[in-house]
């Protein structure tokens, strides 16, 4: 009887562990909750603090016109967004794969924090991203799209090669890999989704402007 009870307990433990692991690995919601946004914003602010002195700074490489990209202090930085990252999967489904947080100073974009929330998606509820990094290579393009008042999604296609693409309503933006100031915004094909609709349904209409919802980086714990 005792042996049988042990086998039952072990079976329950293994089943529970399998369910938990399955939930962690296969839980891939399309919509991003307010809890996720709140906690991932804090995580992005922490990323800025930790990577401030190690990320690739383009200010010197691009010349005096882009001196504003130089980050000397965290005190005057603000964080806003997020920008939705969406990927068209091989089966035609559009997955929510990440978030981009916009870092600015005096209303001027200077960097983004890119978060992967697709892998181990359930942990993003607690502000955890399997991979997050801070960079500047898309800033001239995002600055131009914001100047035009465009809603923006970072767009990709599963297993496709090529550089970053940024989707708006009927428009597609990109930049040259070896020259981030060489940007282009062109008409997108009719089979691309509406950026506004995806943002509204998966984040909320308050995130159509990625420079809204600003907070000082140092004010986020």
């Amino acid at each position: 009887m005792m042996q049988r009870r042990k086998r039952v307990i072990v079976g329950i433990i293994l089943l529970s562990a399998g369910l938990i692991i399955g939930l962690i690995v296969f839980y891939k919601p399309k919509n991003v909750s307010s809890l996720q946004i709140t906690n991932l914003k804090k995580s992005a602010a922490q990323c800025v603090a930790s990577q401030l002195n190690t990320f690739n700074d383009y200010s010197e490489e691009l010349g005096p016109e882009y001196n504003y990209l130089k980050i000397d202090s965290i005190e005057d930085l603000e964080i806003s967004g997020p920008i939705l990252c969406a990927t068209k999967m091989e089966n035609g489904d559009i997955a929510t794969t990440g978030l981009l947080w916009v870092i600015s100073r005096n209303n001027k974009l200077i960097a983004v924090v890119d978060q992967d929330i697709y892998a181990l998606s359930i942990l993003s509820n607690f502000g955890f991203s399997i991979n997050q990094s801070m960079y500047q290579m898309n800033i001239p393009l995002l600055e131009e799209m914001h100047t035009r008042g465009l809603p923006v999604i970072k767009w990709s296609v599963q297993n496709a090669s090529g550089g970053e693409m940024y989707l708006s309503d009927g428009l597609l933006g990109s930049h040259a890999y070896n020259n981030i100031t060489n940007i282009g915004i062109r008409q997108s094909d009719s089979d691309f989704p509406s950026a506004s609709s995806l943002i509204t349904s998966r984040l909320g209409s308050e995130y159509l402007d990625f420079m809204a919802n600003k907070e000082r980086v140092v004010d986020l714990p």
Side-chain angles (χ1 to χ4, degrees):
M1 180 68 72
M2 184 66 68
Q3 200 69 23
R4 186 176 180 182
R5 183 179 299 173
K6 285 182 179 179
R7 286 199 298 269
V8 170
I9 293 172
V10 170
I12 292 173
I13 292 173
L14 291 175
L15 178 61
S16 300
L19 290 173
I20 292 170
I21 292 171
L23 186 61
I24 291 174
V25 173
F26 297 108
Y27 177 73
K28 308 291 183 188
K30 294 181 179 180
N31 297 342
V32 185
S33 70
S34 57
L35 175 65
Q36 286 173 290
I37 291 174
T38 298
N39 289 332
L40 287 166
K41 191 174 189 179
K42 294 176 182 178
S43 180
Q46 293 167 3
C47 177
V48 174
S50 64
Q51 297 188 14
L52 192 61
N53 298 318
T54 58
F55 83 109
N56 188 12
D57 183 343
Y58 279 90
S59 61
E60 294 184 9
E61 181 178 329
L62 298 178
E65 182 183 354
Y66 291 91
N67 281 343
Y68 69 89
L69 292 176
K70 183 68 176 176
I71 305 176
D72 296 313
S73 170
I74 197 173
E75 294 296 325
D76 55 357
L77 300 183
E78 293 181 305
I79 184 170
S80 61
I83 295 173
L84 182 73
C85 303
T87 299
K88 186 174 183 179
M89 311 303 281
E90 290 181 333
N91 63 3
D93 192 25
I94 298 175
T96 297
T97 51
L99 297 177
L100 282 185
W101 296 94
V102 177
I103 311 302
S104 61
R105 179 176 53 218
N106 300 325
N107 294 316
K108 197 77 171 173
L109 281 72
I110 57 174
V112 297
V113 173
D114 194 335
Q115 294 176 326
D116 177 358
I117 63 169
Y118 189 70
L120 304 182
S121 183
I122 194 171
L123 300 182
S124 65
N125 288 287
F126 309 101
F128 178 79
S129 169
I130 196 70
N131 182 36
Q132 63 178 358
S133 59
M134 180 177 171
Y135 56 82
Q136 294 180 316
M137 60 187 179
N138 55 3
I139 293 304
L141 175 60
L142 288 178
E143 184 73 61
E144 176 61 25
M145 297 184 83
H146 180 255
T147 298
R148 297 191 191 187
L150 300 174
V152 176
I153 286 175
K154 183 183 176 184
W155 177 258
S156 61
V157 177
Q158 188 179 23
N159 296 327
S161 58
E164 292 186 340
M165 296 183 291
Y166 291 84
L167 178 67
S168 188
D169 293 334
L171 297 170
L172 197 63
S174 61
H175 63 80
Y177 179 77
N178 59 351
N179 181 2
I180 65 172
T181 64
N182 181 9
I183 63 176
I185 301 174
R186 59 179 174 81
Q187 292 290 321
S188 62
D189 295 334
S190 58
D191 59 342
F192 280 93
S194 162
S196 293
S197 295
L198 277 179
I199 294 167
T200 299
S201 63
R202 300 193 179 189
L203 293 178
S205 59
E206 63 268 35
Y207 298 104
L208 289 169
D209 177 4
F210 61 74
M211 288 291 280
N213 309 297
K214 286 182 184 175
E215 293 183 78
R216 294 176 69 229
V217 170
V218 292
D219 289 340
L220 292 171

